[in-house]
Amino acid sequence: MSRENSTTFHVREMSCASCVGRVEKALLAVPGVLSATVNLAAETATVGMAEGSDLGLVVTALNDAGYPAELQTFRFSVENMSCGSCVGRVERALAAVPGVVSASVNLAQEQATVRALGIPASEIAQAAGAAGYPARVITDQGGSDATRDRKAAESAHLKSMTLLAAVLTLPVFILEMGSHLIPALHHWIMNTMGMGLNWGIQFVLTTLVLVVPGRQFYLKGYPALIKGAPDMNSLVALGTSAAWGFSTVALFAPSLLPIGTRAVYFEAAAVIVTLILLGRFLEARAKGRTGQAIAKLVGLKAKTARVERDGGVIELPVDDIVVGDLVQVRPGEKIALDGVVESGSSYVDESMITGEPVPAEKSQGAQVVGGTINGTGALVFRATKVGSDTMLAQIIRMVEEAQGAKLPIQDLVNRITLWFVPAVMAIAVLTFGAWLVLGPDPALGFAVVAAVAVLIIACPCAMGLATPTSIMVGTGRAAELGVLFRRGDALQSLNDIGTVALDKTGTLTQGRPELTDLTVMDGFAHSDVLRLVASVEATSEHPIAAAIVRRAQQDGLTFAPVEEFQSITGYGISAVVEGQKVLVGADRLMLREGITLDKVQSIGTNLGQAGKTPLYAAIDGRLAAVIAVSDPVKPSTAQAIAALHDLGLKVAMITGDNQATADAIAAQLGIDTVVAEVLPDGKVAALQHLQAGGRKVAFVGDGINDAPALAHADVGVAIGTGTDVAIEAADVVLMSGDLGGVVNALHVSQRTMRNIRQNLFWAFGYNALLIPVAAGVFYPLFGLMLSPALAAGAMALSSVFVLSNALRLRWIASAVSEGRSTRADTGRLVPAAAE
């Protein structure tokens, strides 16, 4: 009889007794569920499952039933992971804990992300520790101080151990290899100290190398081997032990060896340990650089702030500030939190958050963002968001989640690396046996050298690091370019996109009407007409009226008092200003009032064909001006669409606007496909049409009405200036309203996936080519044997190559060359407009 594991967790959306029945029915229908009890008062469900059952099916079943389970997400720093094999073992140990839905381990970050139902973090950490990988929960943004301190200490320790190993190894290498390469040195050593003393010195120094700097390989490698879960450390421990053990027997008990096989390989054991330590030290330094984007983001945080409390001003740690506190900001200081200005005025440098190079003016009622720098004025603002709710904290969280993501391609790599080390050990045994049976004299010596070389040259580390390091650096650079991946696997999905579908309003356009044209008739002055028309429109709340008023204010015009104001539904408005009757409206208003439009008919037609809304103004019965109002296309839109075409992508526009306006904008911008006059449900249908035949489509939008389409698209991209609903439904968030961010997102995706493929090709190709070489396949043809010391050097360089290649992603340039992109390349952290 199978053992039953019981898990209790919270369930949302239950409102009555009938909900309980539906939840229990949904749970009992899941394969492996033996019992299910639901408590409406506590809003919990207790599920008994057969051992080995998939808890993820429970989560899916509840979501499908409309009663989602309340999942907890924990992040852990994990110690003792050294290669790709460790990743699989840690994931299996975590996934085996009852209540764990999914576990994803990132070797580059040395972190694990676990989604669980109803279990404390301590139980999960305990499971990792029992498997030999101590874990500690991470609670703060940007990685815990303890994790950063531990990594710094590990790097410093590796550096000191590498230097010590090098100092001890150098004499061994000179005594052994120098004798082979320089005959005069060989004669001098033999004449002064003799072979016995020479080997004795090598024995002492090599033993010190293995016992002190190399101790970590044996303390981790042999326990893993005993547990039946060998890793990279096990390979190093076996290889160096074999070389040292054979050499020790040759030195102290040569009679145990066949005649003619007496030789020592102390230098191989010492050099192996030294080079692998050097590789790990370089690897640790490179890993530190892969997380620089997060470090920069965390560095934007203010540590303290001046807060008004109890009639005075005190300096408090930012963590102690609560919503509603009044915070004082002096000139040049960093703004600590998000808030609203209560008093004072200043210009604030928001470039590190928004990417806008010109400081933004702030006065009473303006929003301020934590992490930005105040200018020369003084401000007092009321904190509206603190802690994990601030914009900066949310950006950090998005980047961390994306960096810790596991792409679908990583699952295959992890399955391979799980069996890689045992396979290498088997190859080493076969190599030893083949040389012992078929090799020339001294066969035992050749067998030892070949087997040790096979064990040492194999590099599962490179395979384990190939994907996560590229993800970390790629998503970090994306954040610097103003692109935040809310889902890490969107990095891979974007690479497969063939069509980019765009919403019009707020995505291609500014999102609010502007006065674009004012053609004044003979006998009228431009400023007089605009002043009179704006005076009338100032009494209206229509968006078109607001556009006209805004232009007049920008031109510094003063409005006049309005009398006899009348709104004529469907036509326009009329009023008396300074004794003159002013009419503003559509062409039908002019015709109704008997004002001829023959001379300006072509102007109105051309404006309409350009996607603009033509209006007419008359003063005292005479036509005074033709006015055009439109939602103008963003300055960067045309360049961004051209860049998308250059990437080989089709561009579609899906909008609720009328067909004429949509067609005009599409023709202006070179858009391939137009779907107009659609409701939100219609946008989903349009996406389904674009996806026909298995085509992959990304949708870019910013409004609440875009949320269904963002969720339905293969990749949803939200403009950061849009609504929270749209951002929550998206996979990728652009921190600015600039469409160039879409191009940058696709560019980063393509470059990162190419980098991952390069890393995987190197990692697998390296092992596939060099393991046979280490086994001695070239000896019968060319008489070549690979030294274990050279094998150690190759293995160390393999991981360093993968990390160095991933770090090249730090220099991805913006894919568009003007506007926002020039700011992005200055290295500002998140050059995106969050207005």
Side-chain angles (χ1 to χ4, degrees):
M1 183 176 178
S2 64
R3 182 181 157 207
E4 180 176 326
N5 293 320
S6 181
T7 303
T8 300
F9 51 90
H10 285 277
V11 179
R12 299 200 303 269
E13 309 298 340
M14 293 194 299
S15 58
C16 63
S18 60
C19 298
V20 172
R22 292 190 195 100
V23 172
E24 288 185 347
K25 183 179 179 181
L27 290 172
L28 290 170
V30 175
V33 171
L34 305 176
S35 62
T37 305
V38 178
N39 186 316
L40 178 61
E43 295 183 344
T44 62
T46 301
V47 177
M49 300 191 69
E51 193 170 9
S53 299
D54 185 0
L55 199 56
L57 296 176
V58 170
V59 176
T60 302
L62 288 175
N63 285 337
D64 291 344
Y67 303 95
E70 198 168 284
L71 285 170
Q72 299 167 286
T73 301
F74 301 108
R75 286 172 52 242
F76 299 89
S77 63
V78 184
E79 300 178 28
N80 292 352
M81 291 196 300
S82 59
C83 64
S85 305
C86 302
V87 171
R89 292 194 187 94
V90 175
E91 287 183 347
R92 286 196 300 180
L94 295 174
V97 178
V100 169
V101 175
S102 66
S104 175
V105 176
N106 187 304
L107 178 61
Q109 286 181 310
E110 297 178 10
Q111 290 183 5
T113 301
V114 179
R115 295 167 70 238
L117 289 172
I119 55 171
S122 57
E123 278 188 34
I124 302 170
Q126 188 176 359
Y133 302 92
R136 193 176 304 157
V137 69
I138 297 173
T139 56
D140 67 319
Q141 292 284 345
S144 67
D145 291 336
T147 301
R148 289 193 294 272
D149 292 344
R150 176 178 62 79
K151 288 189 175 183
E154 284 179 3
S155 183
H157 178 70
L158 277 171
K159 182 179 181 180
S160 61
M161 288 296 101
T162 302
L163 290 173
L164 176 60
V167 169
L168 294 172
T169 298
L170 186 60
V172 177
F173 186 80
I174 293 173
L175 286 172
E176 185 62 28
M177 298 308 294
S179 295
H180 292 304
L181 299 174
I182 306 171
L185 180 60
H186 172 72
H187 292 307
W188 180 82
I189 291 172
M190 296 304 293
N191 291 332
T192 55
M193 63 179 68
M195 186 175 69
L197 181 58
N198 176 11
W199 287 7
I201 292 172
Q202 292 185 46
F203 166 76
V204 172
L205 293 175
T206 301
T207 303
L208 288 173
V209 170
L210 269 56
V211 170
V212 183
R215 180 175 66 249
Q216 58 179 295
F217 300 119
Y218 308 100
L219 293 178
K220 297 175 183 177
Y222 280 122
L225 191 60
I226 292 168
K227 291 179 181 177
D231 60 5
M232 186 68 226
N233 295 302
S234 304
L235 295 180
V236 176
L238 283 173
T240 53
S241 297
W244 180 86
F246 182 88
S247 303
T248 302
V249 171
L251 175 60
F252 294 110
S255 60
L256 297 176
L257 299 176
I259 296 172
T261 61
R262 190 186 186 201
V264 296
Y265 303 101
F266 288 122
E267 94 289 346
V271 170
I272 286 168
V273 168
T274 302
L275 289 179
I276 292 176
L277 282 172
L278 175 62
R280 290 202 176 176
F281 168 62
L282 294 175
E283 187 180 307
R285 286 184 58 187
K287 280 182 183 177
R289 288 196 288 269
T290 62
Q292 278 187 351
I294 290 289
K296 287 181 184 177
L297 283 165
V298 174
L300 291 179
K301 288 183 174 181
K303 301 291 188 293
T304 61
R306 291 162 49 82
V307 181
E308 296 181 8
R309 291 270 179 93
D310 301 325
V313 178
I314 57 174
E315 189 158 326
L316 286 177
V318 170
D319 291 341
D320 293 344
I321 300 174
V322 298
V323 173
D325 273 342
L326 289 174
V327 182
Q328 293 188 0
V329 187
R330 292 176 291 197
E333 283 188 338
K334 185 178 290 186
I335 292 174
L337 302 158
D338 298 359
V340 178
V341 175
E342 292 286 324
S343 63
S345 64
S346 184
Y347 285 86
V348 175
D349 179 4
E350 298 183 329
S351 60
M352 62 288 296
I353 298 292
T354 68
E356 299 298 333
V358 180
E361 184 179 3
K362 302 293 179 182
S363 56
Q364 186 175 6
Q367 301 279 340
V368 291
V369 178
T372 56
I373 306 296
N374 185 29
T376 56
L379 295 172
V380 177
F381 71 89
R382 188 175 299 279
T384 57
K385 292 182 179 179
V386 299
S388 61
D389 294 329
T390 64
M391 179 186 291
L392 182 57
Q394 291 176 43
I395 291 171
I396 292 172
R397 185 162 57 247
M398 280 191 207
V399 176
E400 283 184 335
E401 288 172 356
Q403 289 191 336
K406 180 188 289 184
L407 304 190
I409 194 173
Q410 183 69 12
D411 290 330
L412 174 62
V413 176
N414 286 349
R415 284 198 297 271
I416 292 172
T417 54
L418 199 61
W419 295 102
F420 179 78
V421 174
V424 169
M425 292 173 64
I427 293 171
V429 171
L430 290 173
T431 299
F432 183 84
W435 275 100
L436 205 58
V437 174
L438 305 173
D441 291 331
L444 182 59
F446 280 115
V448 169
V449 169
V452 170
V454 168
L455 289 171
I456 297 305
I457 205 164
C459 188
C461 303
M463 290 188 281
L465 291 169
T467 302
T469 50
S470 296
I471 294 171
M472 284 182 68
V473 182
T475 52
R477 179 56 182 151
E480 293 176 359
L481 294 173
V483 178
L484 301 177
F485 287 88
R486 293 190 69 247
R487 280 181 41 238
D489 56 358
L491 195 65
Q492 182 170 342
S493 303
L494 263 182
N495 190 54
D496 302 326
I497 292 299
T499 301
V500 178
L502 307 164
D503 174 54
K504 183 186 81 72
T505 305
T507 302
L508 295 173
T509 65
Q510 299 284 8
R512 69 175 185 176
E514 296 289 350
L515 191 153
T516 58
D517 300 83
L518 179 61
T519 305
V520 179
M521 303 296 103
D522 293 339
F524 292 93
H526 182 283
S527 58
D528 287 342
V529 172
L530 180 57
R531 184 177 66 86
L532 292 173
V533 170
S535 297
V536 176
E537 296 286 11
T539 60
S540 171
E541 295 181 356
H542 196 280
I544 290 178
I548 296 171
V549 170
R550 198 159 47 244
R551 169 56 66 84
Q553 290 172 334
Q554 290 169 357
D555 290 355
L557 301 178
T558 303
F559 297 163
V562 175
E563 299 174 351
E564 301 178 25
F565 176 84
Q566 183 182 6
S567 175
I568 309 168
T569 304
Y571 290 87
I573 55 176
S574 71
V576 175
V577 183
E578 296 179 345
Q580 303 173 82
K581 185 175 181 181
V582 179
L583 295 171
V584 185
D587 52 358
R588 52 185 172 273
L589 175 63
M590 301 297 119
L591 296 175
R592 195 186 80 160
E593 297 294 325
I595 299 170
T596 181
L597 299 177
D598 293 343
K599 293 182 180 180
V600 295
Q601 197 71 48
S602 61
I603 297 176
T605 302
N606 291 337
L607 289 173
Q609 290 175 347
K612 300 176 182 179
T613 302
L615 300 171
Y616 302 88
I619 299 175
D620 286 339
R622 294 171 56 208
L623 182 67
V626 181
I627 302 168
V629 175
S630 74
D631 185 1
V633 173
K634 294 176 182 177
S636 61
T637 297
Q639 184 191 13
I641 290 175
L644 290 173
H645 282 140
D646 290 343
L647 291 173
L649 301 171
K650 295 288 186 182
V651 180
M653 180 170 68
I654 303 175
T655 178
D657 282 356
N658 66 69
Q659 190 72 46
T661 302
D663 286 340
I665 291 176
Q668 176 187 346
L669 298 174
I671 291 171
D672 304 300
T673 305
V674 178
V675 183
E677 300 178 10
V678 295
L679 297 172
D681 287 346
K683 291 183 181 181
V684 172
L687 278 177
Q688 290 171 339
H689 175 71
L690 292 171
Q691 290 169 324
R695 287 174 292 185
K696 301 293 184 182
V697 179
F699 179 76
V700 186
D702 74 327
I704 290 176
N705 64 334
D706 294 324
L710 286 166
H712 182 79
D714 295 291
V715 179
V717 182
I719 302 291
T721 54
T723 63
D724 290 341
V725 174
I727 290 172
E728 283 299 314
D731 307 306
V732 182
V733 177
L734 309 180
M735 287 302 292
S736 78
D738 192 324
L739 204 58
V742 178
V743 186
N744 281 332
L746 287 157
H747 184 53
V748 168
S749 170
Q750 292 175 355
R751 287 285 303 275
T752 303
M753 292 309 300
R754 187 189 314 154
N755 192 269
I756 288 172
R757 285 192 290 269
Q758 290 168 351
N759 282 347
L760 290 174
F761 178 80
W762 167 264
F764 284 99
Y766 161 88
N767 284 292
L769 288 174
L770 291 189
I771 288 177
V773 172
V777 295
F778 287 149
Y779 186 82
L781 298 173
F782 308 109
L784 294 177
M785 286 287 290
L786 185 66
S787 162
L790 290 176
M795 192 278 285
L797 288 174
S798 178
S799 295
V800 174
F801 174 88
V802 165
L803 286 160
S804 301
N805 189 48
L807 286 170
R808 292 190 307 118
L809 295 173
R810 289 192 298 170
W811 292 283
I812 293 177
S814 176
V816 281
S817 59
E818 296 177 5
R820 172 189 168 281
S821 65
T822 56
R823 297 194 301 273
D825 281 338
T826 62
R828 290 192 176 99
L829 200 52
V830 185
E835 299 171 325

